[in-house]
Amino acid sequence: DSGVTQTPKHLITATGQRVTLRCSPRSGDLSVYWYQQSLDQGLQFLIQYYNGEERAKGNILERFSAQQFPDLHSELNLSSLELGDSALYFCASSVSPRYEQYFGPGTRLTVT
Amino acid sequence: DAKTTQPTSMDCAEGRAANLPCNHSTISGNEYVYWYRQIHSQGPQYIIHGLKNNETNEMASLIITEDRKSSTLILPHATLRDTAVYYCIVKRDSGNTPLVFGKGTRLSVIA
């Protein structure tokens, strides 16, 4: 158990819908990261936050957005969902961007 | 960040040492070598990282060559639970650089 929690574990929704994935970092960690893992693309970095501020962006679609709240939990919002958005979404956290990241168990999103 | 090259797959007998190689010939002086693994579809698990000295922790040892162009992750006594995909990642430790995962090495530990 890494100490990072993600909810929900599984999510099934229809195309065009919007969902919110939630992540609680390890106690004391200020950095949160989101990754997407699909069968054809592998593990890809989406976005990074540090103490509430966006610090780095990867291949995140404009339909996707994220934020980190004052209590340091983070949410990833996915809208106008397409079949290709079906994937595992992982959240990771670290004490700061200079330190190793610890990953949560992931949310499996299925878009039908 | 420098790219890494790893074998696609490896087998290891249970109880033997598993030695996973990684080439990173374009690594820069301020880049670290990180190892993560992913068991089935679980979240990736941090294993170890190093800059130029060899490192050891409770999970594994990391051997980095003197020219830093390659490294080896050693699992001293592999068990069936070590079957996973192992990722070698080179990353600047200066803050806002993400982990870039390649395809990794699929290690199968065989009874």
Side-chain angles (χ1 to χ4, degrees), chain A residues 37 48 90 97-98 101 103-104, chain B residues 36 38 43-44 93 95-96 98-99:
Chain A
Q37 186 173 33
Q48 172 193 349
F90 291 106
R98 295 176 60 88
Q101 298 175 28
F103 284 74
Chain B
Y36 282 77
Q38 186 174 27
D93 202 34
N96 305 320
L99 293 172

Side-chain angles (χ1 to χ4, degrees), chain A residues 33 35 37 40-45 48 50 55-56 88 90 97-106 108, chain B residues 32 34 36 38 40-46 49 87 91-103:
Chain A
Y33 313 77
Y35 292 82
Q37 186 173 33
D40 55 344
Q41 294 290 331
L43 260 164
Q44 291 210 313
F45 167 72
Q48 172 193 349
Y50 175 71
R55 282 295 186 93
L88 276 166
F90 291 106
R98 295 176 60 88
Y99 288 83
E100 62 272 14
Q101 298 175 28
Y102 292 87
F103 284 74
R108 182 177 293 278
Chain B
Y32 284 68
Y34 282 78
Y36 282 77
Q38 186 174 27
H40 194 46
S41 294
Q42 297 178 22
Q45 179 185 22
Y46 166 77
H49 76 283
Y87 298 98
K91 178 183 175 306
R92 288 196 309 273
D93 202 34
S94 57
N96 305 320
T97 53
L99 293 172
V100 178
F101 289 83
K103 296 189 182 302

Side-chain angles (χ1 to χ4, degrees), chain A residues 29-32 49-55 68-70 72 95:
Chain A
D29 285 359
L30 299 180
S31 285
V32 168
Y49 284 85
Y50 175 71
N51 205 19
E53 292 186 2
E54 182 184 305
R55 282 295 186 93
Q68 185 180 26
F69 294 88
L72 301 176
V95 171

Side-chain angles (χ1 to χ4, degrees), chain B:
Chain B
D1 293 329
K3 290 189 177 180
T4 61
T5 304
Q6 299 178 251
T8 302
S9 64
M10 295 180 63
D11 292 338
C12 177
E14 189 178 22
R16 305 296 293 268
N19 296 279
L20 292 93
C22 179
N23 285 323
H24 31 79
S25 58
T26 61
I27 193 169
S28 300
N30 63 349
E31 291 181 320
Y32 284 68
V33 179
Y34 282 78
W35 283 85
Y36 282 77
R37 72 180 182 183
Q38 186 174 27
I39 298 172
H40 194 46
S41 294
Q42 297 178 22
Q45 179 185 22
Y46 166 77
I47 302 173
I48 199 167
H49 76 283
L51 181 62
K52 53 183 177 181
N53 296 322
N54 297 337
E55 302 288 345
T56 295
N57 63 19
E58 65 279 3
M59 287 185 67
S61 294
L62 173 60
I63 308 298
I64 302 174
T65 57
E66 194 167 343
D67 63 7
R68 301 209 323 124
K69 293 184 177 182
S70 65
S71 60
T72 302
L73 178 74
I74 301 172
L75 307 178
H77 305 286
T79 71
L80 298 178
R81 287 176 295 181
D82 292 321
T83 293
V85 177
Y86 287 77
Y87 298 98
C88 169
I89 300 167
V90 169
K91 178 183 175 306
R92 288 196 309 273
D93 202 34
S94 57
N96 305 320
T97 53
L99 293 172
V100 178
F101 289 83
K103 296 189 182 302
T105 296
R106 182 172 298 277
L107 175 69
S108 298
V109 180
I110 303 166

